[in-house]
Amino acid sequence: MKYRIALFLLLIFVLQSCQNENEKRLAENAKEAKKKEKIFNNINKGWTFIDEPINEVSEENIKNWAEWRDFLKEIGDKPRKTIGAFQKKSAAISKKAMALNNNIPTQFNQPQIKSRISILITKIKMLDLFIHLNTIPDDKVVFLIQEINKELISLERQMDKIVEKAKIPKEQGEEDFLRMLDTTRAIPNSSAPQVPIQPTDQNAPRVE
């Protein structure tokens, strides 16, 4: 009889322990789900890229520069519903950003533009890295989106400056002056009189 009572009490203890473990697990799952929901909401709220051209030059590039057009289209297509969707979108944006190094229009194929593209790519890669971590630092993700927008504005303004500068007419003689400064393109002055070299007379008297 005592054995049965002890076995019964042991069974109750085991069932109680299992119930407590289940409750603890459910509480932890609920806490984790709430945390993920907060991260998702923060990222969803902060995921706003400047996908519209800020000037006519950038708008014109959409027509003539396929990589620029594809990039703006990619960042303008906002993901929905899950963190996984944002992770896929981040990877796609990173790929499109890398392609900006290809087929840069001739007038923009300059160090000022290339350096800004490089900075833009770096920050997009950081965004892609952070959003794929097991514990996503949502504040850093939102901050990087803001930084990426700043780099986009800087890049488009630099494009505009290059175009505006090209419109300024050069003063007369300025191009010749610039060519003179370029020593690699210097051309000997053929108009200068040439002093003929007199042949040496072997029979002429020598002065000792």
Side-chain angles (χ1 to χ4, degrees):
M1 186 67 181
K2 291 181 179 181
Y3 174 77
R4 290 182 180 179
I5 293 174
L7 185 61
F8 178 73
L9 292 174
L10 178 61
L11 181 60
I12 292 176
F13 176 77
V14 171
L15 292 174
Q16 186 68 33
S17 297
C18 291
Q19 184 177 357
N20 291 339
E21 285 295 323
N22 288 336
E23 290 177 355
K24 184 179 179 180
R25 191 179 299 110
L26 290 173
E28 289 176 353
N29 290 343
K31 184 179 180 180
E32 186 66 22
K34 190 174 181 179
K35 182 179 178 181
K36 288 181 178 180
E37 183 181 4
K38 182 182 177 182
I39 291 173
F40 172 82
N41 289 336
N42 287 343
I43 293 176
N44 185 51
K45 183 179 179 181
W47 194 280
T48 304
F49 289 101
I50 301 176
D51 61 314
E52 292 294 330
I54 66 170
N55 51 42
E56 292 182 5
V57 174
S58 179
E59 189 173 357
E60 190 66 24
N61 280 338
I62 291 178
K63 304 174 186 176
N64 304 321
W65 187 7
E67 287 78 9
W68 178 250
R69 179 177 63 249
D70 293 344
F71 173 74
L72 291 183
K73 184 177 182 299
E74 194 68 58
I75 65 175
D77 183 18
K78 185 176 180 178
R80 295 286 188 273
K81 296 182 179 179
T82 64
I83 283 293
F86 282 100
Q87 291 172 331
K88 288 181 180 179
K89 174 57 65 175
S90 177
I93 290 174
S94 180
K95 185 177 180 180
K96 296 294 184 183
M98 289 293 295
L100 290 175
N101 283 316
N102 303 328
N103 303 317
I104 300 175
T106 304
Q107 68 179 141
F108 300 130
N109 196 7
Q110 301 183 21
Q112 306 96 303
I113 296 296
K114 289 182 176 180
S115 64
R116 283 168 172 79
I117 290 176
S118 178
I119 294 171
L120 178 65
I121 290 173
T122 298
K123 293 189 175 181
I124 289 174
K125 283 185 173 181
M126 289 175 64
L127 169 68
D128 190 40
L129 172 65
F130 283 136
I131 204 168
H132 279 89
L133 294 176
N134 291 331
T135 302
I136 301 173
D138 48 303
D139 291 341
K140 290 183 178 180
V141 169
V142 173
F143 174 77
L144 278 169
I145 291 171
Q146 296 170 354
E147 289 294 301
I148 290 167
N149 282 332
K150 289 179 183 178
E151 296 304 329
L152 280 170
I153 292 172
S154 176
L155 175 58
E156 292 180 62
R157 284 179 176 169
Q158 185 61 43
M159 291 176 184
D160 191 55
K161 285 181 182 179
I162 291 173
V163 171
E164 290 301 315
K165 187 177 180 180
K167 292 179 182 178
I168 301 174
K170 292 183 172 63
E171 294 183 6
Q172 185 176 3
E174 183 179 350
E175 291 187 1
D176 293 335
F177 177 72
L178 292 174
R179 279 197 293 268
M180 287 174 62
L181 293 178
D182 187 355
T183 56
T184 61
R185 296 175 59 186
I187 301 175
N189 189 353
S190 58
S191 61
Q194 300 291 327
V195 179
I197 301 175
Q198 298 294 335
T200 304
D201 188 354
Q202 298 292 336
N203 298 320
R206 297 180 181 180
V207 178
E208 295 296 338

